[in-house]
PDB file of all heavy atoms in Angstrom:
ATOM      1  N   ALA V 195     106.783  93.850  88.027  1.00 95.00           N
ATOM      2  CA  ALA V 195     106.300  92.492  88.330  1.00 95.00           C
ATOM      3  C   ALA V 195     106.642  92.127  89.782  1.00 95.00           C
ATOM      4  O   ALA V 195     105.842  91.530  90.499  1.00 95.00           O
ATOM      5  CB  ALA V 195     106.919  91.494  87.356  1.00 95.00           C
ATOM      6  N   MET V 196     107.831  92.522  90.212  1.00 94.00           N
ATOM      7  CA  MET V 196     108.315  92.205  91.563  1.00 94.00           C
ATOM      8  C   MET V 196     107.490  92.932  92.631  1.00 94.00           C
ATOM      9  O   MET V 196     107.245  92.405  93.705  1.00 94.00           O
ATOM     10  CB  MET V 196     109.771  92.658  91.635  1.00 94.00           C
ATOM     11  CG  MET V 196     110.582  92.154  92.767  1.00 94.00           C
ATOM     12  SD  MET V 196     112.345  92.333  92.377  1.00 94.00           S
ATOM     13  CE  MET V 196     112.657  94.068  92.681  1.00 94.00           C
ATOM     14  N   PHE V 197     107.047  94.144  92.300  1.00 96.00           N
ATOM     15  CA  PHE V 197     106.335  94.980  93.286  1.00 96.00           C
ATOM     16  C   PHE V 197     104.812  94.914  93.098  1.00 96.00           C
ATOM     17  O   PHE V 197     104.082  95.808  93.527  1.00 96.00           O
ATOM     18  CB  PHE V 197     106.793  96.443  93.177  1.00 96.00           C
ATOM     19  CG  PHE V 197     108.265  96.667  93.459  1.00 96.00           C
ATOM     20  CD1 PHE V 197     108.965  97.697  92.821  1.00 96.00           C
ATOM     21  CD2 PHE V 197     108.953  95.876  94.369  1.00 96.00           C
ATOM     22  CE1 PHE V 197     110.318  97.923  93.075  1.00 96.00           C
ATOM     23  CE2 PHE V 197     110.311  96.095  94.634  1.00 96.00           C
ATOM     24  CZ  PHE V 197     110.996  97.110  93.987  1.00 96.00           C
ATOM     25  N   LYS V 198     104.342  93.859  92.467  1.00 96.00           N
ATOM     26  CA  LYS V 198     102.899  93.690  92.234  1.00 96.00           C
ATOM     27  C   LYS V 198     102.144  93.782  93.570  1.00 96.00           C
ATOM     28  O   LYS V 198     102.571  93.184  94.563  1.00 96.00           O
ATOM     29  CB  LYS V 198     102.678  92.308  91.595  1.00 96.00           C
ATOM     30  CG  LYS V 198     101.393  92.168  90.811  1.00 96.00           C
ATOM     31  CD  LYS V 198     101.490  90.970  89.893  1.00 96.00           C
ATOM     32  CE  LYS V 198     100.947  89.681  90.357  1.00 96.00           C
ATOM     33  NZ  LYS V 198      99.901  89.323  91.088  1.00 96.00           N
ATOM     34  N   PRO V 199     101.023  94.514  93.632  1.00 97.00           N
ATOM     35  CA  PRO V 199     100.314  94.672  94.916  1.00 97.00           C
ATOM     36  C   PRO V 199      99.855  93.347  95.526  1.00 97.00           C
ATOM     37  O   PRO V 199      99.527  92.410  94.803  1.00 97.00           O
ATOM     38  CB  PRO V 199      99.102  95.537  94.536  1.00 97.00           C
ATOM     39  CG  PRO V 199      99.518  96.265  93.309  1.00 97.00           C
ATOM     40  CD  PRO V 199     100.420  95.322  92.562  1.00 97.00           C
ATOM     41  N   VAL V 200      99.861  93.306  96.849  1.00 97.00           N
ATOM     42  CA  VAL V 200      99.351  92.149  97.598  1.00 97.00           C
ATOM     43  C   VAL V 200      98.227  92.643  98.517  1.00 97.00           C
ATOM     44  O   VAL V 200      98.116  93.835  98.795  1.00 97.00           O
ATOM     45  CB  VAL V 200     100.447  91.462  98.446  1.00 97.00           C
ATOM     46  CG1 VAL V 200     101.618  91.038  97.585  1.00 97.00           C
ATOM     47  CG2 VAL V 200     100.927  92.357  99.592  1.00 97.00           C
ATOM     48  N   ARG V 201      97.416  91.706  98.986  1.00 98.00           N
ATOM     49  CA  ARG V 201      96.265  92.075  99.825  1.00 98.00           C
ATOM     50  C   ARG V 201      96.555  91.859 101.301  1.00 98.00           C
ATOM     51  O   ARG V 201      97.166  90.858 101.672  1.00 98.00           O
ATOM     52  CB  ARG V 201      95.050  91.221  99.418  1.00 98.00           C
ATOM     53  CG  ARG V 201      94.562  91.570  98.032  1.00 98.00           C
ATOM     54  CD  ARG V 201      93.418  90.697  97.592  1.00 98.00           C
ATOM     55  NE  ARG V 201      92.943  91.149  96.284  1.00 98.00           N
ATOM     56  CZ  ARG V 201      91.874  90.670  95.669  1.00 98.00           C
ATOM     57  NH1 ARG V 201      91.157  89.699  96.238  1.00 98.00           N
ATOM     58  NH2 ARG V 201      91.519  91.146  94.494  1.00 98.00           N
ATOM     59  N   GLN V 202      96.122  92.823 102.102  1.00 98.00           N
ATOM     60  CA  GLN V 202      96.238  92.716 103.568  1.00 98.00           C
ATOM     61  C   GLN V 202      94.962  93.243 104.201  1.00 98.00           C
ATOM     62  O   GLN V 202      94.425  94.262 103.761  1.00 98.00           O
ATOM     63  CB  GLN V 202      97.416  93.566 104.100  1.00 98.00           C
ATOM     64  CG  GLN V 202      98.767  93.338 103.473  1.00 98.00           C
ATOM     65  CD  GLN V 202      99.397  92.002 103.870  1.00 98.00           C
ATOM     66  OE1 GLN V 202      98.816  91.211 104.609  1.00 98.00           O
ATOM     67  NE2 GLN V 202     100.583  91.749 103.342  1.00 98.00           N
ATOM     68  N   ARG V 203      94.527  92.572 105.260  1.00 98.00           N
ATOM     69  CA  ARG V 203      93.399  93.094 106.044  1.00 98.00           C
ATOM     70  C   ARG V 203      93.780  94.444 106.665  1.00 98.00           C
ATOM     71  O   ARG V 203      94.944  94.659 107.003  1.00 98.00           O
ATOM     72  CB  ARG V 203      93.064  92.137 107.190  1.00 98.00           C
ATOM     73  CG  ARG V 203      92.447  90.828 106.777  1.00 98.00           C
ATOM     74  CD  ARG V 203      92.035  90.043 108.018  1.00 98.00           C
ATOM     75  NE  ARG V 203      91.031  90.774 108.764  1.00 98.00           N
ATOM     76  CZ  ARG V 203      89.723  90.672 108.538  1.00 98.00           C
ATOM     77  NH1 ARG V 203      89.272  89.852 107.614  1.00 98.00           N
ATOM     78  NH2 ARG V 203      88.874  91.393 109.251  1.00 98.00           N
ATOM     79  N   LEU V 204      92.795  95.328 106.812  1.00 98.00           N
ATOM     80  CA  LEU V 204      93.043  96.621 107.458  1.00 98.00           C
ATOM     81  C   LEU V 204      93.010  96.474 108.982  1.00 98.00           C
ATOM     82  O   LEU V 204      93.663  97.232 109.701  1.00 98.00           O
ATOM     83  CB  LEU V 204      92.007  97.647 106.974  1.00 98.00           C
ATOM     84  CG  LEU V 204      92.107  99.069 107.511  1.00 98.00           C
ATOM     85  CD1 LEU V 204      93.505  99.658 107.335  1.00 98.00           C
ATOM     86  CD2 LEU V 204      91.081  99.963 106.815  1.00 98.00           C
ATOM     87  N   VAL V 205      92.260  95.494 109.468  1.00 98.00           N
ATOM     88  CA  VAL V 205      92.258  95.188 110.898  1.00 98.00           C
ATOM     89  C   VAL V 205      92.776  93.767 111.048  1.00 98.00           C
ATOM     90  O   VAL V 205      92.232  92.836 110.445  1.00 98.00           O
ATOM     91  CB  VAL V 205      90.832  95.284 111.490  1.00 98.00           C
ATOM     92  CG1 VAL V 205      90.844  94.903 112.971  1.00 98.00           C
ATOM     93  CG2 VAL V 205      90.270  96.691 111.301  1.00 98.00           C
TER      94      VAL V 205
END
Side-chain angles (χ1 to χ4, degrees):
M196 195 161 79
F197 298 149
K198 203 162 95 36
V200 304
R201 292 177 176 186
Q202 307 288 1
R203 290 186 62 88
L204 181 52
V205 178

